[in-house]
Amino acid sequence: MTTTNLSPRPIQALPDHLISQIAAGEVVERPSAVVKELLENALDAGASNITVRLEEGGVKRIAIIDNGRGIPADQLPLAVQRHATSKISSLEELENVATLGFRGEALASISSVAILTLTTRTADAPHAWQIENGKITPASGGQGTTVDVQDLYYNTPARRKFLKSEQTEFGHCAEVVRRIALARPDVSFSLSHNGKTVDHWNVSAIDKRSATILGDGFANARLPIDECAGPLRLHGFIGLPTASKGRADAQYFYVNGRFVRDKLLTHAVRAAYQDVLHGDRYPSYVIALDLDPALVDVNVHPSKIEVRFRDSRAVHQFVFHAVNRALAQTSATAFGTVPAPATAGLGEVQNNSGRLPWIGGEQTSFSAQFASPAFTIKDSDLNQSGYGSNGGGNGTNNSAGYDYSFMQQRAQGAGVAQSTDSYGAFFGSKSAAAAESNLPNDDHPLGFALAQLHGIYVLAQNSKGLVLVDMHAAHERILYEQLKNALDENAMPVQSLLIPMTFHADGVEVGTAEENQDILKSLGFDIAAISPTTLAVRAVPALLKNADAQSLARDVLREVREFGGSRVLIDRRNELLGTLACHTAVRANRSLTIVEMNALLRQMEQTERADQCNHGRPTWVQLGLNDLDRMFMRGQ
């Protein structure tokens, strides 16, 4: 290892050109950064039509043509100087800036590392003007501005070596154009590369623009969101949980029209999806947060990709609750249909009019507002599902192929392991109003039960075809939502045990139980030490009364010990409740009667987020009649 002794130099001012090149290292990281800065300037100029032309991934040439206001000829020399801008003139204006570009260094930085030609014309000018290398000359052209950037990094070859392949750089440029096009559907955009048009988006509404850019997969599996709270407004579209992806490459968040990658906002959205995403999946969304510019600082990053909020906690909570409510308020009835999977070996399932398709091998998300369950159905309900005789009593019009007497035997519990009463203990009491309802089949999106498959799946028939339900996953979600609601309302029902359940415990478990009595009671548990090595469970949450009390107690004590009582009730609450719900959910290989299966279906329709269990797995899928016809090649 060698060292170089540098002779001391006096402090001196750097030349302007070197200063601009140093600044360009922050602003002009790659060709896509040039595209971003120039597009922002075009939008700030009021452009309604923007064309982006690239050559060799933007390294050889970037041309941005807009029809904005243009720049007066006498202001052209200032336009390419450092820190010269028309958008701010004081600190007060900087703190309330509403434009996308405002630093006044983009054109100066770009011109220091590339050959820049700017042609512009205002509405009242007789002709256009052009500036290149500081020289202003008359030119031809319509109203607006054309910025032509050629040979990026021609004078800094070391920096050019860090650029990637042509296709990689073009991909980054195209992504920047897509981001900005999503934020401004009121502006038409055209993108070409090496003389070939790649994308073109006409002026349209945000729903159409997002569908065009993100594709049908997002368009057919999204939820609108539009909520306001004081100076905050969140609007746009969030993807259904079952349209999640393996990468976070379809997440677009905008703050006052500016695309950002903010950890606070990303965490808020991720937390809202936590209960409904499976594994390391990522949601898709296009959402915008509008607020007073004085409440957000956009000048904390050279590329303005990050922001800082004056009240970050309030913004986080607002975004979290807005997205969480949007995910919770979906319902199968509201959408009027249920999803269908792609059939292996038979090609992609085509979309029927008005229905949401199967996305990514899972079902589309539906749920309904939480309500009291019903656990019995009327004979007329069985008739509607195809079991009845249509008044004749002989089953001749039975589309399911069963006669009604057979279904009555099934409903009465013939040949099953448990009675309706024992299953009812899992779900609660009967809702008389729901039991007396006599709704058409379409008002029960999950249909009516036909049978149980291998003690794991419930098979049901609705107006669309066949519904398959994972009974354990579905019941797990139902219990989980009930536990969350009870804890939120500080009304966790408690079931005292007639005979306390005792078990051997180590000193740590005994100490945890004694030190956290208030936390345990708020969760519905009464766990007391009766000796230095023995704990007694005297009460458990009523919703979990059929679970193993010892396992429940050990899980709760472990969570409290590892994370602390206060954190369990705040940060770890949902994880703990999900674990408890899993203990009690109906297990595989448990036989259910038709009435019990229908009770589960009705409860699913009334429970928020019932389309996924609390681990994010789907709870039900739909096979439409068209899908079944394709499987058996009917009509071919």
Side-chain angles (χ1 to χ4, degrees):
M1 180 177 179
T2 60
T3 59
T4 303
N5 295 322
L6 297 177
S7 59
R9 294 180 179 178
I11 299 174
Q12 57 185 342
L14 296 175
D16 286 344
H17 190 69
L18 180 57
I19 293 174
S20 295
Q21 288 184 325
I22 294 172
E26 296 179 339
V27 178
V28 188
E29 298 174 304
R30 61 196 323 160
S32 61
V34 176
V35 174
K36 173 183 177 294
E37 296 290 343
L38 298 183
L39 284 178
E40 289 181 348
N41 283 344
L43 293 173
D44 286 341
S48 61
N49 189 297
I50 300 176
T51 300
V52 181
R53 295 173 182 167
L54 306 174
E55 293 182 15
E56 296 183 8
V59 178
K60 181 178 181 181
R61 186 185 185 194
I62 299 172
I64 309 289
I65 303 103
D66 70 65
N67 65 343
R69 289 185 295 271
I71 303 172
D74 60 340
Q75 296 180 23
L76 278 176
L78 285 172
V80 294
Q81 286 188 17
R82 286 191 307 113
H83 305 309
T85 179
S86 63
K87 299 165 188 177
I88 58 172
S89 60
S90 66
L91 179 60
E92 182 181 357
E93 289 185 349
L94 176 62
E95 293 175 347
N96 291 273
V97 65
T99 53
L100 297 175
F102 56 87
R103 290 170 175 264
E105 57 183 313
L107 293 178
S109 297
I110 294 169
S111 64
S112 70
V113 293
I115 300 172
L116 184 144
T117 304
L118 191 153
T119 307
T120 184
R121 179 181 178 181
T122 58
D124 56 353
H127 58 79
W129 293 89
Q130 184 178 95
I131 182 171
E132 183 178 4
N133 293 326
K135 184 180 180 180
I136 302 176
T137 57
S140 62
Q143 179 182 340
T145 301
T146 298
V147 183
D148 196 344
V149 179
Q150 299 188 43
D151 294 328
L152 188 62
Y153 299 135
Y154 77 99
N155 56 354
T156 51
R159 184 171 295 170
R160 195 164 187 167
K161 293 179 180 178
F162 285 93
L163 297 179
K164 303 300 181 181
S165 67
E166 176 180 327
Q167 284 304 314
T168 298
E169 296 299 339
F170 169 71
H172 286 288
C173 293
E175 177 63 17
V176 167
V177 178
R178 280 193 292 268
R179 290 174 186 169
I180 294 178
L182 276 171
R184 294 296 301 271
D186 58 321
V187 178
S188 64
F189 291 85
S190 181
L191 172 64
S192 65
H193 186 225
N194 294 335
K196 296 181 180 180
T197 299
V198 177
D199 284 310
H200 180 80
W201 303 292
N202 292 319
V203 174
S204 61
I206 182 59
D207 57 340
K208 293 183 179 179
R209 175 65 63 87
S210 60
T212 303
I213 293 178
L214 296 183
D216 292 341
F218 179 77
N220 294 327
R222 63 185 179 184
L223 301 169
I225 182 172
D226 194 344
E227 288 209 20
C228 297
L232 305 176
R233 181 195 177 201
L234 189 72
H235 58 99
F237 295 95
I238 59 174
L240 293 169
T242 45
S244 61
K245 307 181 70 176
R247 296 186 300 170
D249 59 352
Q251 299 181 347
Y252 297 87
F253 207 117
Y254 300 87
V255 175
N256 288 345
R258 185 190 312 277
F259 175 82
V260 298
R261 278 205 188 99
D262 186 81
K263 294 180 180 178
L264 176 89
L265 300 175
T266 301
H267 181 273
V269 177
R270 181 73 179 179
Y273 273 90
Q274 185 176 15
D275 280 350
V276 291
L277 280 187
H278 179 58
D280 295 327
R281 305 288 292 177
Y282 296 91
S284 302
Y285 51 81
V286 179
I287 45 182
L289 176 65
D290 297 337
L291 72 166
D292 186 342
L295 300 178
V296 57
D297 184 1
V298 297
N299 194 29
V300 297
H301 192 277
S303 63
K304 302 184 288 291
I305 199 72
E306 298 176 4
V307 295
R308 181 183 295 120
F309 297 100
R310 181 169 296 180
D311 190 346
S312 58
R313 181 173 179 82
V315 171
H316 181 281
Q317 289 299 98
F318 170 68
V319 172
F320 167 76
H321 288 296
V323 175
N324 193 47
R325 279 191 291 269
L327 290 171
Q329 291 174 0
T330 56
S331 69
T333 303
F335 284 85
T337 184
V338 281
T343 305
L346 296 179
E348 184 177 351
V349 174
Q350 300 296 319
N351 295 341
N352 294 329
S353 176
R355 64 189 291 251
L356 300 179
W358 177 271
I359 302 296
E362 297 171 303
Q363 103 286 5
T364 304
S365 171
F366 303 105
S367 57
Q369 292 241 335
F370 185 81
S372 298
F375 301 105
T376 61
I377 56 173
K378 298 175 61 178
D379 290 349
S380 57
D381 290 335
L382 291 173
N383 290 338
Q384 291 166 11
S385 62
Y387 304 145
S389 59
N390 198 22
N394 55 10
T396 56
N397 293 325
N398 184 349
S399 62
Y402 300 108
D403 74 45
Y404 185 42
S405 61
F406 172 75
M407 295 311 302
Q408 284 182 315
Q409 292 174 6
R410 291 291 304 273
Q412 292 167 0
V416 298
Q418 288 83 21
S419 66
T420 303
D421 292 338
S422 64
Y423 187 72
F426 282 102
F427 291 94
S429 60
K430 170 184 173 182
S431 170
E436 293 301 321
S437 65
N438 187 10
L439 299 173
N441 198 14
D442 283 346
D443 286 329
H444 290 308
L446 298 183
F448 294 90
L450 297 171
Q452 191 178 14
L453 181 64
H454 290 293
I456 300 174
Y457 301 103
V458 172
L459 278 63
Q461 172 184 285
N462 65 1
S463 60
K464 307 296 187 298
L466 180 67
V467 175
L468 292 88
V469 176
D470 182 333
M471 66 183 193
H472 172 76
H475 191 200
E476 190 174 4
R477 167 59 72 177
I478 292 167
L479 288 172
Y480 178 46
E481 292 297 330
Q482 289 176 337
L483 288 169
K484 285 199 299 181
N485 289 341
L487 195 57
D488 287 340
E489 297 170 2
N490 294 319
M492 182 70 75
V494 175
Q495 175 67 56
S496 297
L497 302 183
L498 183 61
I499 301 176
M501 195 282 301
T502 61
F503 63 93
H504 177 78
D506 58 33
V508 175
E509 288 177 323
V510 172
T512 301
E514 292 178 337
E515 295 169 6
N516 296 274
Q517 282 297 305
D518 292 341
I519 300 297
L520 295 173
K521 287 181 179 178
S522 68
L523 293 168
F525 288 89
D526 183 358
I527 304 174
I530 59 176
S531 81
T533 58
T534 306
L535 288 175
V537 182
R538 297 171 177 171
V540 296
L543 294 169
L544 309 177
K545 61 184 179 182
N546 289 335
D548 179 43
Q550 179 178 337
S551 297
L552 291 177
R554 288 191 183 279
D555 281 336
V556 170
L557 292 174
R558 182 175 62 252
E559 289 281 331
V560 172
R561 181 177 69 250
E562 291 182 5
F563 301 100
S566 59
R567 188 179 172 193
V568 162
L569 288 180
I570 299 174
D571 298 338
R572 298 282 304 176
R573 187 195 76 155
N574 288 351
E575 288 86 346
L576 173 60
L577 297 183
T579 300
L580 299 181
C582 188
H583 275 293
T584 310
V586 59
R587 297 295 179 181
N589 299 318
R590 174 167 183 174
S591 298
L592 305 180
T593 67
I594 291 293
V595 172
E596 292 167 344
M597 287 186 272
N598 277 307
L600 178 63
L601 298 178
R602 300 294 78 80
Q603 180 76 336
M604 290 174 63
E605 292 168 351
Q606 298 166 344
T607 301
E608 292 179 348
R609 307 176 187 86
D611 45 307
Q612 291 98 20
C613 74
N614 42 304
H615 305 297
R617 294 189 298 106
T619 59
W620 61 280
V621 296
Q622 167 98 49
L623 282 172
L625 290 177
N626 291 339
D627 306 325
L628 295 171
D629 288 344
R630 265 193 298 276
M631 288 182 182
F632 292 98
M633 300 183 180
R634 290 175 59 88
Q636 298 182 17

